[in-house]
């Protein structure tokens, strides 16, 4: 049997210990590795891990950048697939708000993904008009992004 890796030990520590038991901040790269590793776990496990990663992210004052957005999107998806559509919608709306103030530090494709998922989750919640609006906005953003890419490559 192989010796446990540092990432595995961190996963266990974050999963079983209360957040206030951790005396110092985990490195940002370790938090990101833990998040990436959580993606292969069940959605219920992802909820626990991703919430813990975000809690540490906030406590350590790491920036609200594209990595942060990826974690929030992962948490929203885990909430959705564990039946908590309201919390999934809340997480997505928080991500979308980030683009109002930090857009230049964020991946524009994640904004498109956020609106697309918002449409999916609203549709599942029987909010069809809002879902259509979110889908249409995702399409407009995608078209604009494609035009920007073509202009940059010209």
């Amino acid at each position: 049997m192989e010796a446990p890796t540092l990432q595995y030990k961190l996963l266990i520590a974050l999963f079983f210990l209360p957040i206030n038991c951790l005396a110092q901040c985990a490195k940002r790269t370790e938090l990101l590795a833990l998040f990436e590793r959580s993606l292969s776990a069940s959605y219920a496990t992802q909820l626990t891990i991703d919430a813990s990663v975000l809690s540490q992210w906030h406590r350590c004052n790491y920036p609200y950048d594209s990595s942060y957005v990826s974690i929030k999107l992962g948490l929203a998806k885990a909430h959705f697939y564990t039946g908590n559509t309201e919390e999934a919608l809340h997480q997505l709306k928080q991500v979308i708000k980030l683009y109002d103030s930090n857009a230049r530090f964020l991946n524009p494709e994640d904004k498109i993904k956020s609106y697309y998922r918002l449409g999916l989750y609203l549709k599942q919640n029987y909010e069809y008009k809002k879902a259509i609006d979110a889908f249409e906005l995702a399409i407009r953003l995608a078209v604009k992004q494609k035009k920007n890419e073509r202009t940059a490559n010209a």
Side-chain angles (χ1 to χ4, degrees):
M1 184 170 161
E2 293 181 32
T5 64
L6 176 61
Q7 288 175 345
Y8 181 77
K9 288 178 185 178
L10 183 60
L11 171 66
I12 297 301
L14 288 174
F15 191 74
F16 290 108
L17 293 177
I19 206 67
N20 58 2
C21 290
L22 299 173
Q24 51 186 275
C25 290
K27 292 180 183 175
R28 190 173 172 278
T29 54
E30 291 172 344
L31 291 176
L32 290 171
L34 181 58
F35 166 69
E36 289 294 325
R37 189 175 181 144
S38 78
L39 296 175
S40 62
S42 69
Y43 287 116
T45 301
Q46 284 181 39
L47 278 177
T48 304
I49 295 170
D50 295 354
S52 180
V53 167
L54 279 175
S55 178
Q56 282 205 49
W57 197 280
H58 292 142
R59 187 172 58 85
C60 297
N61 294 313
Y62 291 133
Y64 295 163
D65 57 8
S66 290
S67 297
Y68 176 81
V69 167
S70 294
I71 298 166
K72 293 284 279 185
L73 289 173
L75 184 61
K77 187 175 181 181
H79 276 297
F80 179 74
Y81 283 108
T82 55
N84 192 348
T85 305
E86 290 304 317
E87 185 58 27
L89 290 168
H90 174 72
Q91 293 294 329
L92 284 176
K93 289 173 184 176
Q94 285 184 332
V95 168
I96 291 166
K97 280 184 182 181
L98 285 174
Y99 280 87
D100 293 337
S101 59
N102 293 334
R104 69 176 199 237
F105 300 110
L106 302 174
N107 181 349
E109 292 177 9
D110 285 336
K111 185 176 184 181
I112 297 165
K113 185 187 299 185
S114 296
Y115 276 107
Y116 175 76
R117 286 188 185 172
L118 183 65
L120 287 176
Y121 301 171
L122 287 166
K123 178 181 163 273
Q124 186 70 23
N125 223 29
Y126 306 104
E127 298 179 54
Y128 298 117
K129 172 68 174 115
K130 290 180 182 178
I132 290 169
D133 292 343
F135 285 134
E136 286 177 345
L137 187 49
I139 291 168
R140 282 196 304 273
L141 290 169
V143 168
K144 182 179 175 183
Q145 176 67 19
K146 196 66 167 170
K147 284 181 184 176
N148 290 344
E149 288 174 6
R150 276 191 231 134
T151 303
N153 292 333

